[in-house]
Amino acid sequence: MFFFANREMLRKLIVFVAVMFVFGFALVPIYKKICEVTGVNDFMKPEQLKNSQVDLSRSIKIEFDANIRNLPWSFKPELSTVTVHPGELTTVMYEVHNTTGRDMIGQAIPSYGPSQAAAYFKKLECFCFAKQTFAAQETRHMPVVFVVDPALPKDINTITLSYTFFEVPGAAVPPATKTPVGKLEAQAMLKPLRG
């Protein structure tokens, strides 16, 4: 009798573990679908820009902020502020420097102030769309190309775009690939040998 009770309990536990395992795998596509429907995590792709006219009657001050979180990098915007007209295509640059002696991978996450401005700040190109791999001591200048939607509420005159760079935990740095030497570079390397 005791043996049968244990066997029944073991069968229930195996079924429970199998159901939880399947549920764990099902959560990823469910989460992606929920994010797609609600618009959460849309910062990972370029915005779709409808044909808009530049509104020269308004000026919006854009402030840029850069932060790092548990990452030994230097990260800063090249300009702290710009003034734009809604509908005007604008490019700003950020400088990122890996101050360590090892290759690292990071991801930038944007945030906006005031938060309702996020719906009107359309990024067409951004380093935040993908993970960034930096070689040891590498410095890179990366652009953000954006447009402020002319439908921005009239009471918003200043938008703060803030990025926080995080290290991507557990991400393997891809092996370095040697850039092939071009014809002109090869000839330049051979000249000292011939002389």
Side-chain angles (χ1 to χ4, degrees), residues 28 35 37 75 77 105 132 137 141 149 160 162 176:
V28 173
C35 289
V37 170
F75 177 44
I105 297 177
Q132 301 293 326
Q137 298 297 322
H141 297 269
D149 191 327
T160 301
S162 180

Side-chain angles (χ1 to χ4, degrees), residues 90-103:
T90 306
T91 301
V92 294
M93 300 296 286
Y94 278 78
E95 180 183 279
V96 185
H97 175 67
N98 177 359
T99 60
T100 70
R102 65 184 176 97
D103 296 354

Side-chain angles (χ1 to χ4, degrees), residues 71-123:
L71 194 59
W73 291 3
S74 165
F75 177 44
K76 64 183 179 185
E78 292 186 352
L79 295 172
S80 58
T81 62
V82 295
T83 301
V84 300
H85 299 292
E88 178 181 8
L89 186 66
T90 306
T91 301
V92 294
M93 300 296 286
Y94 278 78
E95 180 183 279
V96 185
H97 175 67
N98 177 359
T99 60
T100 70
R102 65 184 176 97
D103 296 354
M104 297 182 76
I105 297 177
Q107 174 79 51
I109 308 296
S111 60
Y112 304 90
S115 59
Q116 66 264 32
Y120 304 95
F121 197 95
K122 308 294 185 184
K123 293 186 300 301

Side-chain angles (χ1 to χ4, degrees), residues 6-67:
N6 283 343
R7 204 160 114 188
E8 182 65 26
M9 177 61 79
L10 180 62
R11 188 172 37 224
K12 288 180 181 178
L13 285 174
I14 289 172
V15 169
F16 178 75
V17 168
V19 168
M20 293 309 293
F21 185 76
V22 170
F23 180 71
F25 273 100
L27 277 179
V28 173
I30 291 170
Y31 174 76
K32 285 183 180 178
K33 187 51 95 174
I34 290 171
C35 289
E36 182 182 309
V37 170
T38 61
V40 176
N41 286 344
D42 271 354
F43 64 85
M44 299 295 282
K45 61 183 181 183
E47 300 281 349
Q48 298 298 318
L49 183 64
K50 295 177 182 151
N51 189 9
S52 64
Q53 298 295 319
V54 177
D55 182 358
L56 297 174
S57 68
R58 289 181 70 190
S59 292
I60 308 297
K61 181 180 178 183
I62 311 294
E63 301 173 333
F64 302 101
D65 182 41
N67 305 287

